[in-house]
Amino acid sequence: FFSLLVFGILAVYFYTTLEAQIKEVLLKNLKDNYGKNDAWTAFFDDFQQKAQCCGVDPKSPNPFKETRWKTLTNTNNAADYPSSCCNITVCTDANRWKKTCVDKIKDMANENKIILAIVVSSIGLLLILAMSFTLALLRGIIVYYSPVHNQYP
């Protein structure tokens, strides 16, 4: 129970740090692996399509320009962004999804934080009930096997 409480306090405390770390990891992997690593590219494309987001950091104008995808698959420079950033084949700044994937992840976390709080609270309540039951059972065992118990009908 106390570990859940500590985890909850730490989650609130490190929320902003966590966002920065997610952004940093995604941006690094995007620049290092997008277009090089097929599994990473497929994962990121799939996430962008399903979440309807594009890129990682709104402060970074176009992180895809620094990827292997831009140099290998886009020699004509017609598309500034991969097709997973929009609903059409040639994706430019004008027709891409404007929301970043980090913002979408934040939105998903905020939408589900009530459910998460209910689940964590329920687990904590179950732990308290289990602890109470265990203590009551222990007390019953101690009373039953104590010498004083044999004196009462």
Side-chain angles (χ1 to χ4, degrees), residues 27-38 40-41 45 62-77 79-82:
L27 194 58
K28 180 183 181 329
N29 277 303
L30 182 70
K31 288 178 180 177
D32 293 348
N33 295 320
Y34 193 82
K36 287 181 189 175
N37 182 323
D38 291 339
W40 172 255
T41 304
D45 283 343
N62 184 353
F64 295 100
K65 285 183 180 178
E66 302 170 26
T67 65
R68 187 174 169 103
W69 164 83
K70 183 68 173 170
T71 57
L72 290 181
T73 62
N74 195 19
T75 55
N76 63 359
N77 290 330
D80 295 327
Y81 297 89

Side-chain angles (χ1 to χ4, degrees), residues 13-148:
Y13 181 74
F14 288 112
Y15 180 75
T16 55
T17 306
L18 182 65
E19 178 187 348
Q21 288 176 344
I22 289 172
K23 196 179 290 186
E24 180 183 328
V25 167
L26 284 177
L27 194 58
K28 180 183 181 329
N29 277 303
L30 182 70
K31 288 178 180 177
D32 293 348
N33 295 320
Y34 193 82
K36 287 181 189 175
N37 182 323
D38 291 339
W40 172 255
T41 304
F43 162 75
F44 205 75
D45 283 343
D46 188 50
F47 185 78
Q48 286 185 138
Q49 277 290 315
K50 288 181 179 173
Q52 295 186 341
C53 60
C54 184
V56 176
D57 189 3
K59 295 175 185 167
S60 176
N62 184 353
F64 295 100
K65 285 183 180 178
E66 302 170 26
T67 65
R68 187 174 169 103
W69 164 83
K70 183 68 173 170
T71 57
L72 290 181
T73 62
N74 195 19
T75 55
N76 63 359
N77 290 330
D80 295 327
Y81 297 89
S83 60
S84 61
C85 274
C86 53
N87 283 329
I88 58 176
T89 307
V90 179
C91 196
T92 63
D93 193 48
N95 59 15
R96 71 174 175 90
W97 287 307
K98 301 300 181 201
K99 200 155 207 172
T100 67
C101 293
V102 171
D103 291 336
K104 283 290 191 168
I105 292 170
K106 274 180 22 183
D107 291 348
M108 285 183 229
N110 285 333
E111 289 170 6
N112 295 315
K113 70 180 171 185
I114 292 174
I115 295 170
L116 182 64
I118 290 170
V119 169
V120 169
S121 299
S122 299
I123 291 171
L125 182 62
L126 283 173
L127 288 173
I128 290 172
L129 288 173
M131 192 182 327
S132 300
F133 178 74
T134 303
L135 291 174
L137 188 61
L138 179 64
R139 185 180 182 281
I141 291 170
I142 290 172
V143 168
Y144 183 78
Y145 286 106
S146 70
V148 177

Side-chain angles (χ1 to χ4, degrees), residues 3-14:
S3 62
L4 287 175
L5 183 64
V6 169
F7 178 74
I9 292 169
L10 289 175
V12 170
Y13 181 74
F14 288 112

